Amino acid sequence: MDIRFYMSLLLRRLHYVLLLTVLGSAVGATLALFLPTVYVARAKLVVESEQIPGELAASTVDVQATEQLSIIQQRILARDTLVEMANRLQIYAAAPGERAELLDADELVDDMRQRISIITSGGTVARGPAQATLVDVSFEAPNAALASAVANDIVTLILKTDVEMRTGTARQTLEFFEQDVARLDKELSERSAAILKFKEANGQSLPDSLEFRRSQQAAAQERILSLQRTGDELQDRRDRLVRVHEATGATQEVPLPQQSAEQRQLSDLQNQLAASLAVLSQENPKIKLLKAQIAALEPIVARQASEGLTDDQGRELSAYDVQLADLDGQLSFLADQKTQIDAEIVALQATIDATPGNAITLDALERDSANTRMQYDQAVANKARAETGDTIEALSKGQRVTVIEQAVAPQDPDRPNRPLIAASGVAGGLAGGLGLVLLLEALNRGIRRPDELTAKLGITAFATLPYMDTAGEVRARRLRKAAVVVVALVVIVGVLGVINAYYMPLDLLLDRVIKRISFAVPLPLTSI
């Protein structure tokens, strides 16, 4: 490698290297001087687990810590929240003696989101043991006091939002189950009322008394048969009595009855009533019927007792007439009894026939009531758990976010690193100059060394003479360089003038560019 040749090329192009180095140094020094100072205040929070074991009393707020923090972060970074925070804390207020910066809402929100950093780490991981969930909160500001104030305000918002979300969720859960219990209680009452109304309307044809009514029907049928046999016997006796009286004009030797037919009928009814009260209630239809019959016969018997055994004209009845009247009275009584029992059998049969349909309807009503009762019991149990969860969250005994370190005003700015920026400007200008020299030499395809002459043309030179520039060529070259510099300066000044006149004043533009450069690489907002 021909070191001397490359050194000569470098010396020949040294003015480019120096020019770009000076420009780079000027840019670096300008940025180092004018970039705004950025202070970063940091706070640290931790998510604490429930203070009461879940198997003893569980909270009704079932949400993972990372999910909860993600929701809180989105609420804090919402547009309305950021605008309210900026106005309340006077984040963009102008310093004494400076002009206030006018930002529209969109620019303000974007800038606030770049300044705020909420980083979540730890928590439950797919592999490995669970770690504590930590939250790092930081805010960037031009001065240390504002950075710490805003960072602590963000911490306060996180704590407040966490409490509001958990207590609000627990309260909503409790209100839901309270409404559910009230609804099911009303529905259960309505179903119970419907069952009661149905039983009252169909009290004589319910399935639980079916066997009793069947036994009553069988007993009534047996009584019909007994009355039929007794009636046949009485009718036979009457027929014999009538035949004997018609044939002989006399009666059989029977003692004169001491009681009339109504009296014996009343006595029989009273005996039946006493026997029935031993097995039936006062409300039984049969008891009511016997009482009605007794009440109807008692005035007749009382009147007969006062009048004696006489006919309607007051004549004393003969033994034949008394016996015949007694038999006729017994037959009439048996006929009445049979008619009543037949009606009772028909009524019992009607209730027996209606029982299967009533049983199906009643079973459906009771099944719906049982299902509603089961839902009601479950809702009451859920309400009790919701009340426990609401109490836990109200007393802050569940999962909660607490502060480990409050944000304090930093002593030193976080950025910019002014010496590094200045050194980077110098290094960048030098690298740019060397790169430009390399680019120019790479684009130059001319022959400048004997070795290149031999390599490209295959000619071996005996000697080489350097090119001697004339005074005119030197002046022309210098004029061209000066013209290029002047044109560049004119173009730059013209462009800056147009921008200042038609787009934005240069001081505001420079301030905005510096801020954009300052926050060009924002910290990530979250990491879970």
Side-chain angles (χ1 to χ4, degrees):
M1 178 180 292
D2 193 349
I3 300 299
R4 294 182 59 188
F5 173 72
Y6 289 110
M7 290 299 298
S8 64
L9 292 179
L10 178 61
L11 293 175
R12 186 182 305 172
R13 309 285 188 182
L14 185 61
H15 56 281
Y16 293 115
V17 177
L18 294 177
L19 177 61
L20 293 180
T21 301
V22 171
L23 290 177
S25 301
V27 172
T30 302
L31 292 177
L33 290 175
F34 291 100
L35 278 177
T37 302
V38 177
Y39 289 87
V40 179
R42 295 179 174 85
K44 186 178 291 292
L45 299 88
V46 65
V47 179
E48 295 182 352
S49 59
E50 296 83 354
Q51 300 183 20
I52 300 177
E55 58 273 11
L56 297 180
S59 173
T60 53
V61 183
D62 186 14
V63 61
Q64 296 293 330
T66 52
E67 179 183 357
Q68 178 89 350
L69 292 172
S70 178
I71 297 174
I72 293 173
Q73 175 181 342
Q74 295 304 317
R75 289 190 177 184
I76 292 176
L77 297 180
R79 180 187 183 93
D80 295 340
T81 305
L82 293 178
V83 172
E84 187 275 334
M85 182 189 299
N87 294 331
R88 175 167 47 85
L89 299 178
Q90 297 293 310
I91 296 177
Y92 294 95
E98 295 183 0
R99 186 175 59 180
E101 181 181 7
L102 299 179
L103 294 177
D104 59 21
D106 293 334
E107 292 177 340
L108 184 146
V109 171
D110 292 339
D111 186 60
M112 287 289 291
R113 287 174 179 170
Q114 290 178 353
R115 292 187 182 192
I116 296 174
S117 174
I118 303 176
I119 302 176
T120 304
S121 60
T124 303
V125 294
R127 296 181 180 179
Q131 300 178 355
T133 303
L134 302 176
V135 183
D136 293 315
V137 179
S138 63
F139 183 77
E140 301 174 356
N143 59 80
L146 180 60
S148 61
V150 177
N152 286 324
D153 189 76
I154 295 172
V155 170
T156 303
L157 283 178
I158 292 176
L159 299 178
K160 179 181 177 182
T161 306
D162 177 67
V163 172
E164 289 177 351
M165 288 180 61
R166 296 190 67 86
T167 55
T169 301
R171 174 57 55 181
Q172 291 175 3
T173 303
L174 178 57
E175 290 177 354
F176 171 79
F177 284 112
E178 286 178 346
Q179 296 174 0
D180 196 37
V181 168
R183 176 184 63 83
L184 291 173
D185 181 66
K186 180 180 179 181
E187 184 177 350
L188 186 61
S189 300
E190 292 175 352
R191 295 191 182 278
S192 299
I195 292 175
L196 179 60
K197 182 179 179 181
F198 180 81
K199 286 184 176 181
E200 290 177 349
N202 302 274
Q204 301 298 325
S205 57
L206 295 177
D208 53 355
S209 63
L210 178 61
E211 294 300 327
F212 174 72
R213 284 180 278 117
R214 285 177 175 173
S215 64
Q216 278 187 319
Q217 187 183 40
Q221 291 173 350
E222 292 179 359
R223 288 168 55 199
I224 287 289
L225 295 176
S226 176
L227 291 175
Q228 185 68 37
R229 289 192 297 269
T230 304
D232 292 341
E233 293 176 358
L234 292 175
Q235 186 65 40
D236 184 61
R237 287 175 57 190
R238 186 182 187 284
D239 292 342
R240 288 199 306 269
L241 180 62
V242 172
R243 287 195 301 268
V244 170
H245 179 70
E246 290 177 351
T248 62
T251 60
Q252 296 177 345
E253 295 295 332
V254 295
L256 187 65
Q258 300 297 321
Q259 292 181 334
S260 66
E262 288 78 4
Q263 290 175 337
R264 288 194 298 273
Q265 184 179 356
L266 178 60
S267 178
D268 291 339
L269 290 174
Q270 290 174 343
N271 292 333
Q272 291 182 21
L273 178 61
S276 299
L277 286 174
V279 294
L280 301 177
S281 66
Q282 294 284 349
E283 302 299 326
N284 191 276
K286 182 178 179 181
I287 299 297
K288 294 180 179 180
L289 179 61
L290 291 174
K291 289 183 177 180
Q293 292 174 349
I294 291 172
L297 286 174
E298 284 178 347
I300 299 174
V301 172
R303 179 170 51 81
Q304 291 177 353
S306 62
E307 295 177 354
L309 299 175
T310 58
D311 58 8
D312 296 338
Q313 288 76 25
R315 294 175 298 180
E316 186 177 356
L317 297 175
S318 64
Y320 169 75
D321 293 331
V322 171
Q323 291 185 19
L324 189 61
D326 179 52
L327 292 174
D328 289 339
Q330 293 186 40
L331 288 173
S332 177
F333 173 73
L334 291 177
D336 293 340
Q337 288 287 95
K338 184 178 178 182
T339 301
Q340 294 173 3
I341 295 174
D342 285 337
E344 183 179 348
I345 290 175
V346 172
L348 289 173
Q349 186 61 44
T351 61
I352 292 173
D353 293 339
T355 298
N358 292 338
I360 294 175
T361 304
L362 182 61
D363 182 67
L365 292 174
E366 291 179 344
R367 183 174 61 252
D368 293 341
S369 178
N371 292 335
T372 305
R373 165 66 66 179
M374 183 174 60
Q375 296 176 11
Y376 176 78
D377 294 339
Q378 183 64 36
V380 170
N382 292 336
K383 177 186 174 184
R385 289 195 293 269
E387 289 175 345
T388 302
D390 183 66
T391 303
I392 289 174
E393 295 302 333
L395 298 177
S396 299
K397 299 299 182 182
Q399 178 181 287
R400 59 177 182 172
V401 180
T402 57
V403 180
I404 298 178
E405 295 179 0
Q406 287 281 0
V408 296
Q411 299 296 325
D412 299 319
D414 186 76
R415 62 177 187 272
N417 190 338
R418 303 186 191 280
L420 180 62
I421 293 175
S424 299
V426 175
L430 180 60
L434 293 176
L436 178 61
V437 171
L438 293 177
L439 178 62
L440 293 175
E441 293 302 321
L443 295 176
N444 189 350
R445 299 299 181 181
I447 299 174
R448 292 169 294 178
R449 292 183 299 169
D451 295 340
E452 294 177 357
L453 184 65
T454 303
K456 293 180 178 180
L457 299 178
I459 300 174
T460 302
F462 294 102
T464 58
L465 296 174
Y467 182 79
M468 304 297 293
D469 292 327
T470 63
E473 291 175 338
V474 173
R475 287 194 300 270
R477 186 168 55 251
R478 290 176 179 176
L479 288 175
R480 286 195 300 271
K481 293 180 180 179
V484 169
V485 173
V486 171
V487 170
L489 291 176
V490 170
V491 171
I492 292 173
V493 171
V495 170
L496 293 177
V498 171
I499 292 174
N500 183 76
Y502 296 100
Y503 179 68
M504 182 182 295
L506 292 179
D507 56 344
L508 295 180
L509 180 62
L510 178 61
D511 185 63
R512 180 170 296 185
V513 170
I514 290 174
K515 287 188 175 181
R516 290 292 177 87
I517 295 175
S518 175
F519 299 108
V521 186
L523 293 175
L525 293 179
T526 182
S527 175
I528 299 177

